[in-house]
Amino acid sequence: MKRIPVHLAALVVLLALLAGGCSKEKDRFLNRAYHRLTSRDNGWFNANEKLKETVDGIERAYIDDFDKMLPLFVYGTEDQAKGAGGDLEKCIEKCSLVIERHSMDIKGKQRNSWIDDAYFVIGRSYFYKRAWFDAQRTFDYIGRRFKDQDRQYEAKVWLARTLMETEQYARAQSTLDEVKEVKELPKRFPHDELAAVQADLDLRRGKVDDAIMNLERAVDITKDRQRRVRWTFILAQLYQVKGMDDRSIAAYKQVTRMNPPYELAFHAQVFQALAFDRGDSKALRKMLNRMLRDDKHVDHFDMIHYALADIDLKENKDSSAIAHLKRSAYVSTNDTRQKAKTWLRLADLYFDDRAYPDAQLYYDSTSTLLAEEHPRFEEVATRAEVLGELVEQLNIIAREDSLQQLAGMDPEEREKAIKRLIREREKAEAEKEVAEREAREAEAAGTAAPARPATPAGGGSGAWYFYNPQQLGRGLSEFKKKWGNRPLEDDWRRRDKSGSAIAQEEPEEAGEPTAEGTEGEGKEGEPEWKDPGFYLKDLPTSDTALAASNAKICEAMYRSGMIYKEKLKDTDNAIESFETLINRFEECRFTPESHYQMYRIYLAREKSGSFIDFGGSTSQAYANIILERWPDSEFARLVRDPSLLEGGEARRKVEAAEYDQLYREFRQRNYLLVISTCNQVITNEPRNHLLGKYHLLKAMAIGGTRELSAFRTALQEVKDKFPATEEAKAAEDLLAVLDRQATSEGAPAEQGKAPTNASSFRMDQGPHYIALIHPNSAGDINTVKTKISDFNRRYFPGRNILIENTILDAEQQVVVLRLFDDKAAAMAYYHQFLGDVGMLGGINDQGHPIFAISPDNYAQLYKNKDVDAYAAFFTQNYLPKQ
């Protein structure tokens, strides 16, 4: 008998053992060893390494926002989770395969000690995928299924982290408490992570003190250097939030000694200055100035100057702080958020100092950079708008004063003054050109040019208005006031691109001079501002011109006073404006109103109980003046009976709310409803304080119906009834637009019709409307529509015939019934409509034009308004064939 070689026999025995070891049903050493070995080395290890690599990529790609509290753990963004989804899915697949092939669930007990690790990888993969439900389910399963195994309590900690992401804070806390109550946790349990997760939960629940305590423990016990650096930085931020400035500065210093990444190191140094509150700032200033000499911080120079300004402000060195803030904006390169912070800080400083023109410029600039989700975005935008209105009035005063001053000079002195103005303008233009050339050269050299502040330093108050830099801001404010905050795009003038008559404004002619003296070219290509005549053209040299100039100043002073009083709640400046007006103009249009506003301001101060009369200015003093000088005025009536004022205020609020509601309907293009409601208010509420606005809104709604003739009539009515008001000015502007539009189209501006004749209409056998011309004098249009609707329900119950009406011109409307499939269907309806006796009485027997009309011909009719021409066309082409 031939003997079997020993090595072959050993191989056969080994294969037999391996085959026996593959079984998951037998709880023997060989089986356990085989499945544990293959679980760890074939599946879990690769998946776990892939997961670590993916998480590391997410953490490295994450950009911290140092304007906020840094997150204790970086989970990435939604987009990052989507980007890493493929890799995370591979981790899940690998570990799922491990569980499927090597799980040894024997008699309810898992004999493969790597299965819980596989589930743990799956749970964390779901977590970073932001599949919160799957992650929660997996961690919950690990905690329940693998009791007394290594991953049980880690899974509970991750379960708490998952619950925190879905804002289940109470359950997250109970889960963490469950872990903390365990007397003996596994040897490798991450105690630092448990403390940090608890701190994270405390922060999310607003318990900053508890968060500090837990984070201090996490920092003490963690052996991970990166985590210690990050958590120490966050601990310093928490100290700063709690006002523990010394501990905050010490923690930031500690971060700088931990060899942190550049961004953390830089911000740890700068934040030391921001955390400074009192004491000796010499060391901090030295550190910041040293950083300014290091070119590696060039992109953060703006932040360093901002920190120096912050120290200055805390030491009441306001002028130095403003200089540093302006320098911060100047050296800014690519950090728009820091620039927005700098401008906002400058705006707040000027606003607090009541330097409103400068504040307006910086608020306006800030609003262009501030993110909409910024907590102060609305406040900044509102302040920019309100201050823009104020600056507009202040500039009117400055302009008219300058013109009057120039007009009051003798010719020789005036000539010298104009030459001086031209020289100063030339100097300013030269400086501007140099700055622009430097910026271009820097850009061409490939280096980041320092960002110029969007607003000039100093504000230029008191400078001649022709080149006062505030005019830039004013121009922007006026643009926004007129056109709104429109993006730079084609057809930017047209907010409503649907074709509304209101929106169909033609561009103004290039170079058209405006009331403010738009700068164009003067003689021989020279700028207009170099021509002395440019400065003379608006001078108020006659008594009439001087009176008009004074009227502008009077109105601007009153309006600026009201802005101070009502919108800025700055009664000191309001008093100054009203007092100046009263002292300067004995009898201008707003003199009584200014006395009444002074009466109300002092009345409010006296009621507050903190008023002390130093100069005889009291509410009674102004009341006496009003009663003596204007005894029959509305102001005298309010002074005699102050209770009327309270009732009047309440009524004004109601009226304002009702107007706002109607204006929203206008924005929804419910023009007919708006017109009807405006008519009711105009008729029934003649004392409504918004009557002018109702008239204008009605006109705008008529414009929305594209009825140009009626639109023009309504605008003219606003202009005539409310002269020298904002509503009249708006109406005047719109009429000017209509005039330009009519001129460009070659049509007479006074007419709403375009010349036409019957031959402009074309036969069409396709879809048709039925059109009924309804004169306004024939009664309520809604009654007509109701009767027609009843007629349709009786005789055309299966047809969905839409009934609409629109204004055709100032005297008549058109009721349109649509849509009929073809001409024959429309004519069938036409004959039945005309033949009805009873239901349509008062409609079809009045002789008002009614006809079938194709959509194209209807558009033509609506444009040219020539009902007679179409009636002739209809009679000729429709009726003879019936």
Side-chain angles (χ1 to χ4, degrees):
M1 180 178 179
K2 187 177 180 180
R3 297 182 61 183
I4 299 175
V6 175
H7 67 280
L8 184 58
L11 178 61
V12 171
V13 171
L14 179 60
L15 290 174
L17 290 173
L18 287 174
C22 288
S23 173
K24 300 188 296 182
E25 310 299 332
K26 297 178 181 178
D27 185 16
R28 293 184 303 200
F29 171 78
L30 185 59
N31 297 71
R32 293 196 299 273
Y34 169 78
H35 284 292
R36 290 175 182 175
L37 180 65
T38 52
S39 297
R40 186 192 65 186
D41 292 347
N42 285 351
W44 175 85
F45 178 81
N46 291 332
N48 193 50
E49 289 300 308
K50 187 68 176 177
L51 177 59
K52 287 196 292 186
E53 178 185 335
T54 303
V55 172
D56 184 59
I58 290 175
E59 291 178 346
R60 279 189 284 105
Y62 183 79
I63 299 175
D64 281 313
D65 181 358
F66 288 93
D67 289 336
K68 302 176 181 176
M69 186 72 63
L70 299 192
L72 284 161
F73 300 97
V74 175
Y75 301 144
T77 62
E78 190 78 38
D79 290 338
Q80 286 180 305
K82 289 179 182 177
D87 292 335
L88 294 170
E89 198 60 44
K90 289 179 182 176
C91 298
I92 295 170
E93 289 176 5
K94 286 179 182 292
C95 287
S96 296
L97 200 61
V98 167
I99 295 169
E100 179 185 347
R101 293 182 177 177
H102 304 294
S103 174
M104 298 180 67
D105 191 348
I106 301 174
K107 296 180 181 179
K109 188 172 183 179
Q110 179 57 252
R111 306 304 298 175
N112 186 346
S113 58
W114 288 96
I115 296 302
D116 60 335
D117 295 274
Y119 273 112
F120 193 56
V121 170
I122 291 174
R124 287 186 294 151
S125 298
Y126 280 132
F127 182 90
Y128 284 101
K129 278 186 68 179
R130 293 176 173 256
W132 307 122
F133 176 75
D134 291 329
Q136 177 180 334
R137 189 172 51 124
T138 305
F139 292 132
D140 190 50
Y141 177 77
I142 298 172
R144 289 185 290 101
R145 177 67 180 81
F146 301 99
K147 295 185 180 298
D148 300 327
Q149 295 194 26
D150 291 348
R151 299 297 186 185
Q152 178 190 3
Y153 298 110
E154 282 188 75
K156 287 183 179 296
V157 174
W158 277 88
L159 175 60
R161 295 169 74 164
T162 308
L163 294 170
M164 288 158 59
E165 293 301 314
T166 53
E167 299 185 353
Q168 301 179 64
Y169 297 141
R171 191 179 168 194
Q173 184 60 67
S174 64
T175 304
L176 292 178
D177 291 342
E178 188 180 340
V179 177
K180 287 189 279 188
E181 290 171 359
V182 176
K183 292 183 179 178
E184 186 175 355
L185 290 167
K187 185 177 179 180
R188 295 185 176 179
F189 179 82
H191 293 274
D192 60 337
E193 186 176 314
L194 175 61
V197 171
Q198 180 62 64
D200 195 7
L201 179 57
D202 292 334
L203 279 178
R204 295 182 191 225
R205 304 181 83 177
K207 300 178 178 179
V208 179
D209 292 331
D210 293 342
I212 289 175
M213 182 184 67
N214 285 297
L215 193 55
E216 286 176 340
R217 171 173 165 73
V219 170
D220 288 341
I221 63 178
T222 188
K223 296 180 180 178
D224 186 305
R225 191 185 68 83
Q226 291 185 350
R227 284 186 168 183
R228 183 184 296 113
V229 172
R230 185 176 189 82
W231 291 349
T232 303
F233 189 95
I234 296 170
L235 194 56
Q237 288 182 303
L238 292 176
Y239 289 144
Q240 192 173 350
V241 168
K242 294 298 292 182
M244 303 157 72
D245 299 327
D246 293 339
R247 296 182 69 175
S248 176
I249 293 173
Y252 283 129
K253 280 184 179 177
Q254 190 179 352
V255 172
T256 62
R257 292 193 290 266
M258 291 178 176
N259 191 24
Y262 170 77
E263 288 295 332
L264 273 180
F266 174 81
H267 284 88
Q269 294 178 82
V270 171
F271 282 15
Q272 289 179 51
L274 297 179
F276 168 79
D277 186 42
R278 60 183 180 278
D280 188 359
S281 64
K282 187 176 178 180
L284 288 173
R285 289 181 184 276
K286 184 177 180 180
M287 177 190 70
L288 293 172
N289 286 317
R290 185 172 62 248
M291 293 170 71
L292 284 173
R293 294 192 292 271
D294 191 340
D295 288 342
K296 73 180 178 183
H297 302 311
V298 66
D299 286 336
H300 288 321
F301 279 175
D302 51 353
M303 201 177 300
I304 298 172
H305 282 289
Y306 184 87
L308 285 166
D310 190 77
I311 295 175
D312 286 336
L313 288 173
K314 289 168 182 172
E315 295 181 338
N316 299 319
K317 300 175 180 176
D318 288 2
S319 58
S320 176
I322 289 175
H324 275 300
L325 288 172
K326 288 181 176 177
R327 187 68 186 169
S328 170
Y330 182 81
V331 300
S332 177
T333 55
N334 52 16
D335 190 348
T336 55
R337 286 195 302 182
Q338 177 58 49
K339 184 181 284 188
K341 284 173 59 180
T342 300
W343 282 346
L344 181 56
R345 196 72 176 271
L346 278 166
D348 287 340
L349 285 173
Y350 284 125
F351 186 83
D352 291 342
D353 289 342
R354 298 176 180 174
Y356 295 127
D358 290 327
Q360 189 275 332
L361 293 172
Y362 283 107
Y363 278 129
D364 203 49
S365 298
T366 303
S367 65
T368 63
L369 294 181
L370 214 58
E372 290 190 7
E373 58 270 17
H374 192 282
R376 294 191 61 190
F377 178 81
E378 290 295 334
E379 178 193 358
V380 168
T382 301
R383 285 190 176 185
E385 181 180 354
V386 171
L387 293 177
E389 296 173 10
L390 174 64
V391 171
E392 181 180 358
Q393 301 305 321
L394 297 180
N395 282 332
I396 290 174
I397 298 170
R399 177 179 187 274
E400 296 302 324
D401 278 342
S402 298
L403 291 172
Q404 290 187 20
Q405 180 187 3
L406 203 58
M409 298 177 180
D410 60 58
E412 186 177 349
E413 186 182 6
R414 185 187 304 153
E415 184 179 354
K416 291 179 180 177
I418 291 175
K419 287 181 178 178
R420 183 172 64 253
L421 292 171
I422 294 175
R423 286 197 301 272
E424 291 175 359
R425 176 64 180 265
E426 288 173 341
K427 181 180 178 183
E429 290 293 327
E431 292 175 350
K432 179 183 175 184
E433 186 178 348
V434 170
E436 291 176 349
R437 186 175 66 249
E438 289 177 352
R440 288 194 299 269
E441 290 173 355
E443 185 176 1
T447 59
R452 294 284 185 183
T455 50
S461 59
W464 181 251
Y465 79 91
F466 287 107
Y467 53 89
N468 186 333
Q470 290 179 357
Q471 297 293 333
L472 298 174
R474 179 188 177 192
L476 182 59
S477 298
E478 288 180 344
F479 178 88
K480 288 184 176 179
K481 184 178 180 181
K482 182 174 182 178
W483 301 103
N485 193 17
R486 302 189 182 191
L488 181 60
E489 59 182 12
D490 292 341
D491 294 333
W492 60 267
R493 285 174 180 262
R494 303 178 60 191
R495 184 192 298 279
D496 180 358
K497 299 178 176 59
S498 64
S500 164
I502 299 172
Q504 293 174 354
E505 299 178 3
E506 295 298 329
E508 296 177 359
E509 294 181 8
E512 182 180 352
T514 68
E516 301 303 324
T518 300
E519 296 178 13
E521 289 189 353
K523 298 176 181 178
E524 299 177 356
E526 288 287 333
E528 192 175 18
W529 54 265
K530 288 190 175 183
D531 181 4
F534 173 69
Y535 302 86
L536 299 173
K537 60 183 180 180
D538 292 327
L539 293 185
T541 52
S542 66
D543 291 343
T544 303
L546 183 61
S549 176
N550 281 331
K552 290 180 182 177
I553 295 175
C554 174
E555 181 177 354
M557 284 183 173
Y558 178 76
R559 293 191 183 284
S560 60
M562 291 303 294
I563 293 171
Y564 285 129
K565 175 176 175 285
E566 300 294 339
K567 297 185 176 181
L568 299 177
K569 307 301 180 188
D570 182 355
T571 53
D572 290 339
N573 269 320
I575 288 174
E576 183 179 344
S577 291
F578 294 133
E579 277 186 340
T580 304
L581 186 155
I582 291 169
N583 294 332
R584 183 168 175 177
F585 302 105
E586 182 69 17
E587 284 291 351
C588 82
R589 182 188 167 199
F590 294 95
T591 304
E593 284 94 331
S594 297
H595 280 83
Y596 180 67
Q597 294 301 335
M598 292 291 281
Y599 161 76
R600 291 193 56 186
I601 290 173
Y602 280 106
L603 187 65
R605 288 189 169 188
E606 289 158 7
K607 287 183 177 179
S608 69
S610 58
F611 175 71
I612 301 175
D613 179 15
F614 291 107
S617 295
T618 62
S619 63
Q620 189 58 51
Y622 285 101
N624 292 338
I625 296 173
I626 292 170
L627 294 174
E628 180 183 348
R629 296 181 60 182
W630 305 284
D632 299 327
S633 67
E634 179 73 9
F635 306 116
R637 193 171 69 89
L638 292 173
V639 168
R640 291 190 189 98
D641 187 359
S643 63
L644 293 175
L645 179 62
E646 297 178 0
E649 288 293 337
R651 181 59 197 163
R652 291 168 73 90
K653 289 181 180 177
V654 172
E655 290 172 352
E658 290 174 347
Y659 177 82
D660 290 343
Q661 176 62 34
L662 188 61
Y663 188 73
R664 283 193 284 274
E665 294 291 341
F666 172 78
R667 297 292 299 272
Q668 297 294 323
R669 304 186 184 190
N670 296 325
Y671 299 132
L672 296 179
L673 172 65
V674 172
I675 294 170
S676 174
T677 306
C678 285
N679 283 333
Q680 292 176 17
V681 173
I682 292 169
T683 303
N684 302 323
E685 302 178 26
R687 297 179 67 85
N688 191 308
H689 81 289
L690 298 175
L691 205 59
K693 291 187 180 297
Y694 274 106
H695 274 274
L696 181 61
L697 188 61
K698 174 188 171 184
M700 299 285 282
I702 292 173
T705 64
R706 309 187 186 193
E707 207 320 283
L708 293 182
S709 178
F711 185 31
R712 181 182 294 279
T713 301
L715 290 173
Q716 189 63 44
E717 184 179 351
V718 175
K719 183 180 173 184
D720 295 340
K721 285 190 174 181
F722 304 94
T725 62
E726 292 181 351
E727 290 77 23
K729 178 68 168 57
E732 192 174 346
D733 290 345
L734 287 169
L735 284 169
V737 171
L738 293 180
D739 287 342
R740 287 197 298 273
Q741 194 173 24
T743 302
S744 66
E745 292 173 354
E750 294 74 19
Q751 296 181 7
K753 296 181 179 179
T756 184
N757 53 56
S759 62
S760 63
F761 299 108
R762 296 288 182 269
M763 277 302 298
D764 189 347
Q765 300 295 329
H768 269 64
Y769 304 154
I770 295 292
L772 169 67
I773 305 301
H774 178 83
N776 294 336
S777 57
D780 184 15
I781 189 75
N782 291 321
T783 303
V784 174
K785 291 169 65 178
T786 301
K787 285 187 176 182
I788 295 175
S789 178
D790 293 341
F791 171 80
N792 290 343
R793 275 200 297 273
R794 170 175 291 186
Y795 296 108
F796 301 91
R799 295 289 304 275
N800 182 22
I801 302 175
L802 187 63
I803 306 174
E804 294 178 332
N805 68 296
T806 187
I807 296 174
L808 187 62
D809 55 31
E811 288 80 28
Q812 51 192 358
Q813 300 185 48
V814 57
V815 179
V816 181
L817 312 180
R818 61 184 182 183
L819 180 70
F820 298 91
D821 294 338
D822 50 31
K823 172 188 170 187
M827 288 308 296
Y829 182 93
Y830 168 82
H831 286 295
Q832 189 159 351
F833 187 95
L834 285 185
D836 180 77
V837 177
M839 292 193 72
L840 297 179
I843 299 176
N844 60 357
D845 54 2
Q846 299 299 306
H848 302 152
I850 176 172
F851 33 69
I853 186 169
S854 68
D856 289 343
N857 283 341
Y858 178 74
Q860 183 74 10
L861 170 65
Y862 195 87
K863 182 179 179 182
N864 59 41
K865 318 295 184 190
D866 197 343
V867 175
D868 294 340
Y870 184 76
F873 174 83
F874 175 76
T875 301
Q876 180 180 354
N877 295 281
Y878 284 71
L879 296 183
K881 299 177 182 177
Q882 301 304 312

